[in-house]
Amino acid sequence: MDHLVRGGGGGDPADAGGGLFSRRYAAVTWSFTAVMFLTGFAALAVVPILPVAARDLHGVSLYPLVAGCFVAASLLGGVLGGDWADRSGARRPLAAGVLLAVATLLISAASTSIWQLAAGRFLDGVGAGIVAVSINTAIGQAYPEHLRARALALMSTSWIIPSLAGPPLAGLVTAWWSWRVVFFGLAALNLLPALAVVAVLRSRSRQAVPAAPGERPPRPALLVAFAVSVGAALGQYAVSGWDPRHLLCAVAAVALLVVFAPRLLPPGTWRAARGLPAAALLRGLSSGAYFTLEAFVPLLLDTARRVPAAVTGLAFTGAAIAWAAASWWQGRLVERHPRHRLVAAGALVMTVAVAIAAAGTLPELPALTAALSMVVAAVGMGLLAPSLTLLSLTHSPAGRQGYASSAMQTAQNLGQLTVIGLASALFNACPGTGSSGLVGYTAAFALLLAPTVLAALLATRAADG
């Protein structure tokens, strides 16, 4: 358990046969699982109530900003959490992240204006970014290498129940009482486990493993991370319209991201340099393709193919289960197959999923064809995402797991924002389509072939050694 804050990924030979719930690792495993379960529950439960909250606060026009704040702020949280974890161990940032999540849920619940809700979502994104990076860093610090894949698979499995229960429960609570009750309830649900996690981690050593001389990266400027977060938020808002105000936001977003984003990524990321830079680029490409597919397929099913919302919800449920199952499977395959091959296999599966989604726009095929693409894509991500995280930890020198985890989180969010922005622009640019046409959807799905094929081709550049 002392590995949680001191590193030592190699493990003790005496523990070579131990599992995640052996005496040595039980406390940390239960702590991580509880954090990920509640983080997932809060993140997924909030999504369906945000439009209701925006309407109630007379801020529907600012809904894109509210919806984009969370992802944008997680960029800042990831950088802050990664550097903090490298310098003092994962305990403090993880504890701060879970407590911040509770506080920000209360801020959102008490919102009297759309701007307060946006501020609450922004701070929640900061906390979520800190938690996500701290968990990945702590896995690299707490477990020997032979247990990391299974630990990551367990973290993915922790999202299954939240994905099944979170959105419908939040919808029912909102319908019966108020969207504010959802936020207050989530804060109460998270409070005791958050305090328990802090208590468990506080009882351990505070020493962090030092980096080798010259290996530790300089402390990232928080102003740089904040500028990237602001640029990401502006980009999310900009793609929602075509008037001069949105165009100005788009120009500002591009300027901020082009100038500052490269400073948060490993040198050589854009040219897929071998090792951590390639792993970061692959995370951005794959995440961008997956989350864009996840955004456009439900829109296609609702507006163009007239599929009932309940059926679309089942597609999300199937995707969550498929992701967790594939992640569990890769935790066993990684012992027999090189990790970069699992990355390539996952990218190829996602390419098939994109092709299925494009086929789902054809009137001759059943409407549920597109829904199937979400499940297939989740299988690809279940194979690919944990494998990339393992590769990033492998490429991290001692004491730099936080930096690597932060870089992966930053690449993921930037990839998501970039790909979905390009796809949205292409979708809206198709003449005469609108949300009920099919040409725009076909064009958007065709665009997603580029990042998935590129990820498959570049997978070897992230290989071990």
Side-chain angles (χ1 to χ4, degrees):
M1 178 68 180
D2 288 342
H3 288 284
L4 173 62
V5 289
R6 292 187 304 189
D12 190 323
D15 293 315
L20 293 178
F21 293 96
S22 63
R23 181 177 180 183
R24 185 178 182 86
Y25 302 109
V28 66
T29 299
W30 282 116
S31 297
F32 291 173
T33 303
V35 169
M36 292 305 292
F37 177 87
L38 293 170
T39 298
F41 203 92
L44 295 170
V46 163
V47 172
I49 69 170
L50 283 180
V52 180
R55 185 173 65 252
D56 189 45
L57 295 172
H58 309 290
V60 174
S61 62
L62 291 175
Y63 173 74
L65 179 63
V66 174
C69 273
F70 183 90
V71 175
S74 65
L75 287 165
L76 176 60
V79 173
L80 177 62
D83 180 67
W84 195 354
D86 276 346
R87 296 177 185 277
S88 62
R91 177 185 66 84
R92 292 179 180 177
L94 182 57
V98 294
L99 291 176
L100 181 60
V102 174
T104 54
L105 287 169
L106 294 174
I107 292 174
S108 297
S111 294
T112 57
S113 70
I114 192 67
W115 291 106
Q116 182 177 343
L117 181 63
R121 295 302 294 153
F122 188 89
L123 292 174
D124 199 13
V126 173
I130 293 175
V131 169
V133 169
S134 298
I135 288 287
N136 286 339
T137 302
I139 286 175
Q141 295 175 347
Y143 298 102
E145 188 171 356
H146 71 281
L147 290 179
R148 291 176 186 169
R150 297 187 180 185
L152 290 170
L154 181 61
M155 297 305 104
S156 295
T157 304
S158 300
W159 282 68
I160 292 181
I161 294 178
S163 67
L164 296 174
L169 283 178
L172 288 174
V173 171
T174 301
W176 291 341
W177 290 289
S178 166
W179 58 269
R180 298 180 188 276
V181 176
V182 175
F183 279 107
F184 279 124
L186 289 171
L189 186 66
N190 278 265
L191 180 58
L192 288 179
L195 294 176
V197 168
V198 172
V200 168
L201 300 182
R202 188 173 183 176
S203 66
R204 306 298 168 180
S205 169
R206 300 185 181 185
Q207 181 182 358
V209 99
E215 287 186 346
R216 184 184 293 273
R219 181 186 293 272
L222 292 183
L223 286 179
V224 172
F226 183 75
V228 173
S229 294
V230 171
L234 290 174
Q236 289 282 82
Y237 176 70
V239 298
S240 64
W242 291 95
D243 55 63
R245 180 178 58 186
H246 288 83
L247 181 60
L248 181 61
C249 288
V251 172
V254 171
L256 287 171
L257 293 176
V258 168
V259 172
F260 294 108
R263 298 174 61 179
L264 300 181
L265 296 171
T269 296
W270 304 120
R271 54 184 174 84
R274 292 189 178 276
L276 181 60
L281 178 62
L282 292 172
R283 172 61 65 83
L285 292 171
S286 58
S287 297
Y290 178 80
F291 289 109
T292 301
L293 186 77
E294 190 180 57
F296 274 89
V297 167
L299 187 63
L300 167 68
L301 295 175
D302 179 67
T303 61
R305 303 307 300 266
R306 306 301 181 187
V307 172
V311 176
T312 303
L314 289 177
F316 276 97
T317 299
I321 295 174
W323 186 320
S327 181
W328 176 87
W329 191 34
Q330 68 79 35
R332 278 120 184 101
L333 288 177
V334 77
E335 298 173 358
R336 303 188 299 272
H337 300 279
R339 293 166 185 160
H340 70 277
R341 292 185 181 177
L342 295 180
V343 173
L348 290 175
V349 171
M350 290 184 64
T351 302
V352 173
V354 171
I356 293 174
T361 64
L362 299 175
E364 296 81 8
L365 293 179
L368 293 183
T369 302
L372 176 63
S373 69
M374 294 177 59
V375 179
V376 176
V379 172
M381 283 298 286
L383 292 173
L384 182 150
S387 300
L388 282 176
T389 300
L390 288 169
L391 286 169
S392 71
L393 294 174
T394 300
H395 292 308
S396 304
R400 293 185 60 181
Q401 292 95 340
Y403 168 73
S405 297
S406 172
M408 297 293 281
Q409 179 79 8
T410 299
Q412 172 179 313
N413 290 342
L414 287 176
Q416 178 180 343
L417 294 168
T418 301
V419 176
I420 199 170
L422 292 174
S424 298
L426 183 61
F427 174 78
N428 291 324
C430 289
T433 58
S435 62
S436 61
L438 294 174
V439 177
Y441 292 106
T442 304
F445 293 142
L447 174 69
L448 300 185
L449 290 173
T452 56
V453 171
L454 191 58
L457 294 175
L458 296 177
T460 56
R461 301 188 68 83
D464 300 49

